[in-house]
Amino acid sequence: MGTIRRAIQLVTVLVVLASGVAVGQAAPGGRTGFWGAVGLGAGGESYDLRDGLGYSAQLYRPTFSLRLGGTIDQHVRLGGEMLSWINQNGDAIESLTSALFIGQLYPFGGSSGLYLKGGAGLGRNAVDFPDGSGAGDTGFAGLLGAGMEMRVGRRWYLNPTVDLVQHDYSGRGIDNYRERLVTFGMGILFQGGR
């Protein structure tokens, strides 16, 4: 757990330092056209069975994300995102996956890579076994997050992110339960356009 805390602290420091560097870096031609990003990170999953006990302790495991979309203007990007948390538990593989429509708002326009993100879509909580069997639930997923785009090439950016994802389900003999995932990630973003 100490290693995870240090990793979270390191990502936080990098985001803060990068925001100071990136504030003055306007992209030549600005944000335009197609964009895509792939990222890896660590995610803390917890669940609430809505039995009055609240959320469980967080279980940190690897996360993977893929985002694709288009640019509306210097302040808005729209797209889709797949975000997965994976935990190997003996022979079983537990996963928490979100398929979301997202919007990214850049409050400082072309002068900064800082953005706020929101999204909504479907969430899937599943357990799969090597023999091909498994069980899972599908429900509503919502996301709030933030990130920074730090230029490393003409069209390439490092992209540290922080996201909070909430899934709401009904199933598995329980009237309602929910899953929460807090992720800290680092990605590579490609910006098309001019």
Side-chain angles (χ1 to χ4, degrees):
M1 193 63 173
T3 302
I4 291 170
R5 282 193 187 121
R6 285 191 293 277
I8 292 168
Q9 291 168 349
L10 177 62
V11 168
T12 303
V13 168
L14 288 174
V15 168
V16 170
L17 290 175
S19 65
V21 170
V23 164
Q25 295 180 351
R31 266 186 281 297
T32 60
F34 168 82
W35 59 271
V38 62
L40 296 173
E45 178 269 348
S46 57
Y47 59 88
D48 178 9
L49 300 178
R50 297 194 177 181
D51 55 6
L53 299 177
Y55 279 95
S56 66
Q58 289 184 325
L59 177 62
Y60 277 88
R61 293 295 183 261
T63 61
F64 172 79
S65 67
L66 174 65
R67 290 179 290 141
L68 299 170
T71 305
I72 303 300
D73 63 28
Q74 292 298 301
H75 294 279
V76 179
R77 281 187 169 159
L78 298 177
E81 179 170 1
M82 292 289 294
L83 174 64
S84 291
W85 172 92
I86 300 167
N87 176 41
Q88 183 151 1
N89 188 359
D91 285 343
I93 298 197
E94 303 170 343
S95 62
L96 191 63
T97 303
S98 308
L100 305 155
F101 292 107
I102 59 167
Q104 293 180 185
L105 173 67
Y106 295 78
F108 305 110
S111 67
S112 171
L114 176 68
Y115 63 86
L116 305 174
K117 180 171 66 168
L122 294 175
R124 176 109 174 118
N125 175 14
V127 178
D128 294 301
F129 298 95
D131 65 3
S133 66
D137 292 320
T138 303
F140 172 79
L143 175 146
L144 292 174
M148 175 65 65
E149 295 170 359
M150 301 178 296
R151 180 184 297 278
V152 293
R154 182 167 177 242
R155 295 184 178 183
W156 295 94
Y157 298 80
L158 283 178
N159 184 209
T161 60
V162 177
D163 293 307
L164 171 63
V165 184
Q166 176 81 36
H167 288 200
D168 288 310
Y169 301 103
S170 24
R172 290 196 194 172
I174 302 168
D175 288 338
N176 290 301
Y177 73 99
R178 56 191 175 177
E179 298 265 0
R180 180 172 61 195
L181 180 64
V182 178
T183 69
F184 302 90
M186 180 63 78
I188 299 286
L189 181 135
F190 173 80
Q191 167 67 57
R194 296 185 255 164

